[in-house]
Amino acid sequence: MSFGVGVWFLLGLFLIAAAMAQAVKTGRLGRDGLRAAGSVVRIEQSPDGRSLYSPVIAYTDETGAWREFTVGLKAFKPIHPVGARVPVRWIAGRPESASLSSVRHTVLMIGVPLIVGVACLAAGLWSMD
């Protein structure tokens, strides 16, 4: 097996594993997490000046405390505009576990790495010839 084939396979496996880990986290939050309606209060740009954006979501937790968190996913275009109402999930007593629970976010966090990972595995198989 050549070096290039190994790189494609490793990259594909890494992306598929990342997608599966995110799916497990999303499933756990869906099963055990609390849910609240959140709101996008602002959009943060990457500190390095690149054009990558992350929404900052505000919500009220189970104790009535106002919480904010920045979505870890950075995109070239904000995935939700300021003022948008979005679903938030978190584990009771652990507000730091809060996560955006929108379909758009889930597709980007699970679907995209899964599809790209499978494509990398296919590229590795294709380059074996």
Side-chain angles (χ1 to χ4, degrees), residues 81-94:
V82 172
R85 304 272 302 161
V86 293
V88 175
R89 290 195 182 265
W90 73 96
I91 302 297
R94 293 186 45 220

Side-chain angles (χ1 to χ4, degrees), residues 10-83:
L10 285 175
L11 181 59
L13 291 174
F14 173 78
L15 289 170
I16 291 169
M20 300 318 303
Q22 185 65 37
V24 167
K25 177 184 175 190
T26 301
R28 183 173 14 98
L29 283 172
R31 185 184 64 246
D32 302 331
L34 300 175
R35 183 178 180 152
S39 181
V40 178
V41 293
R42 66 184 174 280
I43 305 292
E44 290 186 351
Q45 187 173 0
S46 294
D48 60 8
R50 296 186 342 203
S51 295
L52 294 174
Y53 304 95
S54 295
V56 177
I57 312 293
Y59 71 100
T60 303
D61 72 9
E62 73 271 24
T63 67
W66 178 263
R67 304 282 183 175
E68 284 188 5
F69 69 96
T70 302
V71 175
L73 175 68
K74 295 185 182 342
F76 292 111
K77 178 177 136 181
I79 60 173
H80 296 288
V82 172

